[in-house]
Amino acid sequence: MRKNSRNKGFTLIELLAVIIILGILMAVAIPSMTKYIENSKKDAFWQTAKTYVNAARYGLLNDEFSNTAGGICSLPPTGEATVIPTNIITLEKGSKKSAWNKDLSVSYVVCVDEGTADKPKYVYYYSGKDSDNNGIAIPTQEDALARGAVKRGEASAARQPALNARPSVGSKTPKVSQICA
């Protein structure tokens, strides 16, 4: 008795169809997954930036930082700014690396008093980049920190302001009165 040899496996046409379908699925899935991962890294970056802003706020209010002159780094006077480098800020969780696992090369928080002498209004800005120029180059107000503010490989303009410099933060150009150390 002879067995039917047609039922032993797949034909070449069936295998080619499966390979083509898998190729099409991969062509659609890989770019979508790559974009999802990139957006997740950008989200992690700006959320870490907000954590640095909150830690800087807490540190200034509790006199935890010293300034470059050896005194206590405090809230700035009206119309002036205090710069807090993130390398002196201790976070409860996390490391000093970006979401792309690169060292943060330039990263700081700026506190600006945008109020009046009678009624101070402290506004916080963040700017930072990693060693591959990923990050937020332009000092960005805390409320505007979001995925769109984070640039991949384009943050080369970020640098810490010098004492008595006038960094452009928002629509203001305040004088840097102190840098925390």
Side-chain angles (χ1 to χ4, degrees):
M1 195 165 173
R2 263 176 124 181
K3 289 187 176 183
N4 189 355
S5 62
R6 287 190 71 143
N7 294 331
K8 287 189 173 185
F10 298 106
T11 65
L12 184 60
I13 300 292
E14 291 170 331
L15 289 174
L16 285 173
V18 168
I19 291 171
I20 290 171
I21 291 170
L22 287 175
I24 291 170
L25 287 174
M26 286 179 55
V28 171
I30 289 175
S32 297
M33 197 60 165
T34 303
K35 185 175 181 179
Y36 176 78
I37 291 169
E38 188 65 24
N39 286 340
S40 296
K41 288 180 180 182
K42 287 181 177 183
D43 288 344
F45 193 94
W46 72 261
Q47 289 170 352
T48 301
K50 280 198 169 197
T51 303
Y52 275 118
V53 168
N54 287 331
R57 179 184 293 114
Y58 180 82
L60 282 176
L61 291 173
N62 292 299
D63 298 329
E64 292 181 359
F65 307 124
S66 58
N67 60 26
T68 52
I72 298 294
C73 200
S74 59
L75 292 166
T78 304
E80 294 187 18
T82 296
V83 177
I84 308 104
T86 59
N87 63 346
I88 67 168
I89 299 173
T90 304
L91 297 181
E92 190 173 311
K93 290 170 64 174
S95 68
K96 302 287 183 184
K97 294 198 178 264
S98 72
W100 291 272
N101 201 28
K102 302 292 180 184
D103 291 327
L104 289 172
S105 56
V106 177
S107 181
Y108 59 91
V109 176
V110 179
C111 176
V112 179
D113 183 354
E114 295 181 356
T116 62
D118 299 343
K119 192 173 183 183
K121 179 184 177 191
Y122 300 108
V123 180
Y124 291 83
Y125 296 83
Y126 175 85
S127 180
K129 68 174 186 128
D130 66 13
S131 56
D132 280 351
N133 290 331
N134 303 314
I136 302 170
I138 300 166
T140 303
Q141 190 173 349
E142 175 183 15
D143 296 339
L145 290 173
R147 182 187 298 163
V150 181
K151 303 297 181 203
R152 179 75 192 259
E154 299 175 20
S156 59
R159 63 185 178 278
Q160 181 177 318
L163 192 60
N164 297 320
R166 294 197 174 270
S168 178
V169 285
S171 61
K172 311 277 183 190
T173 52
K175 175 183 148 196
V176 175
S177 59
Q178 60 186 332
I179 298 174
C180 300

